[in-house]
Amino acid sequence: MLDIHWLKTFVTLAELKHFGKTASALHMTQPNVSLHIKQLEKMTRVKLIERNPFCLTQAGLRLLQSGQKTLWELKVCQSDLNAINNLSQGTLTIAASDIISRLLLIEPFQLFKTQFPGIDFTLLNTTSSQASALVKSAEADLGFVIAQKESEPLHFSELQQIKWCALGNNLALWQQAKNDESMVLIEPPTLILLGHDTRTRELLDNALPSLNLPSYRVMEVGSVDAQIDWAEAGFGVAIVPEFSLRSKANLTNTVTALPQFPTTSLGYIVRQNQVLSKAIKQLLHWVNEEISRTHLKQPK
């Protein structure tokens, strides 16, 4: 029978391809990592890795495939067992982007901590794509994402439709210049957008031509808050979700609705056939209440 701790060490080493990084990731010493691998090789009676340079043997590649699946199944099983027992103690890990967590989840999380004080609550600040990967690998129990495509092994439930708007004073001027050759702009328009590694940017790129702008520059930033701050400082026009502006009471720049941009969905993801605990169901109820309470609060 394979020792599960040895297997976890082997899978981590195979993924990181470095003994020192594996030791840090597993909070072990490097000699103990080597010992686990030697014990695993002794138990299986096959060589699993080549050390110089590092690579997996054919047997190692086969064990990695099974080991990853085994560790994932154990995580899922533990999660389901916790849910069946209506977990009142233990851990709950949520993955969500910064903008979603700050605008929609703070009050539900406060209620959650009050009603379920025995549950160690962890929030992972991620992009929607990263949240999907974390839920799929059972590193997170629940993810809040934008525009998740229904796919194995995840199930997506919509919470709210998202519409888009432009924050910045020059959008109408730029659009006029596109159609009026006599107008000369001092400098090209600048759109302030999230980076290409985000699902939001992936959604918006195809819609940008509908703005009917002359040749423009793109300023990429790492968060919606940064988009808003740079637009307010006069560096360009930010394309952001409407709900991201509802808490901004003192905006000085023009907000323009973009009905021609495709709507998308904000929702949550779980693994397909995942058993939801009483705690998760209650959290989702509070999130729905928060969305209902704030849904009509849109920027003027």
Side-chain angles (χ1 to χ4, degrees):
M1 179 71 69
L2 296 183
D3 186 292
I4 194 66
H5 300 293
W6 301 348
L7 185 61
K8 184 176 182 180
T9 300
F10 168 75
V11 168
T12 305
L13 177 62
E15 292 172 345
L16 297 179
K17 300 179 175 60
H18 192 279
F19 280 84
K21 291 179 180 178
T22 299
S24 296
L26 298 178
H27 307 289
M28 298 169 59
T29 64
Q30 193 164 323
N32 275 341
V33 172
S34 296
L35 179 60
H36 278 197
I37 300 304
K38 289 178 181 177
Q39 290 170 321
L40 191 56
E41 289 181 326
K42 182 178 179 180
M43 172 67 70
T44 58
R45 300 179 183 177
V46 292
K47 190 169 187 177
L48 299 171
I49 66 170
E50 298 288 352
R51 287 166 171 75
N52 292 306
F54 182 92
C55 67
L56 297 180
T57 65
Q58 185 176 358
L61 289 170
R62 180 64 182 86
L63 182 60
L64 175 61
Q65 183 181 27
S66 295
Q68 288 173 321
K69 183 177 180 181
T70 297
L71 293 174
W72 180 79
E73 290 283 359
L74 287 173
K75 287 179 183 177
V76 170
C77 180
Q78 184 62 64
S79 175
D80 287 346
L81 290 175
N82 289 340
I84 290 169
N85 289 329
N86 283 326
L87 179 66
S88 59
Q89 292 186 336
T91 62
L92 177 62
T93 302
I94 308 293
S97 69
D98 180 67
I99 189 68
I100 292 175
S101 60
R102 286 190 306 100
L103 293 181
L104 298 178
L105 305 181
I106 289 179
E107 289 191 23
F109 288 169
Q110 288 175 326
L111 293 169
F112 182 90
K113 290 298 292 181
T114 300
Q115 183 156 330
F116 301 97
I119 297 179
D120 184 12
F121 177 85
T122 300
L123 176 64
L124 303 177
N125 186 4
T126 68
T127 66
S128 289
S129 296
Q130 291 168 340
S132 298
L134 288 166
V135 174
K136 186 181 296 185
S137 66
E139 297 293 327
D141 302 291
L142 180 67
F144 290 92
V145 300
I146 290 177
Q148 171 68 38
K149 295 178 181 178
E150 187 77 20
S151 62
E152 293 279 359
L154 300 176
H155 176 73
F156 174 75
S157 297
E158 181 181 288
L159 292 170
Q160 180 181 1
Q161 283 283 308
I162 293 177
K163 298 180 181 179
W164 306 94
C165 64
L167 173 65
N169 293 331
N170 296 316
L171 185 62
L173 177 65
W174 296 342
Q175 291 170 328
Q176 184 180 351
K178 170 73 172 181
N179 300 315
D180 187 347
E181 295 182 357
S182 66
M183 289 186 63
V184 179
L185 299 175
I186 298 175
E187 58 183 17
T190 298
L191 294 183
I192 305 171
L193 305 172
L194 292 179
H196 275 98
D197 60 338
T198 63
R199 187 169 290 157
T200 296
R201 179 65 179 277
E202 184 181 318
L203 288 168
L204 295 185
D205 273 347
N206 291 334
L208 293 178
S210 69
L211 292 176
N212 196 31
L213 299 178
S215 179
Y216 59 84
R217 300 176 300 189
V218 172
M219 177 180 179
E220 290 190 353
V221 296
S223 69
V224 175
D225 259 357
Q227 286 182 273
I228 294 170
D229 289 344
W230 284 105
E232 278 289 275
F235 284 86
V237 169
I239 309 299
V240 296
E242 283 187 349
F243 79 85
S244 68
L245 300 183
R246 72 157 188 265
S247 63
K248 308 292 184 179
N250 300 310
L251 292 175
T252 60
N253 286 353
T254 303
V255 177
T256 305
L258 299 175
Q260 72 272 35
F261 274 47
T263 58
T264 187
S265 300
L266 164 67
Y268 67 89
I269 49 171
V270 294
R271 294 178 298 280
Q272 289 193 6
N273 301 317
Q274 178 179 343
V275 180
L276 297 184
S277 67
K278 176 183 177 182
I280 289 180
K281 290 178 180 178
Q282 183 61 63
L283 176 62
L284 291 172
H285 173 73
W286 285 323
V287 170
N288 265 310
E289 285 189 337
E290 178 69 8
I291 288 174
S292 297
R293 185 176 66 83
T294 59
H295 181 68
L296 297 178
K297 293 183 179 180
Q298 301 294 345
K300 303 296 184 183

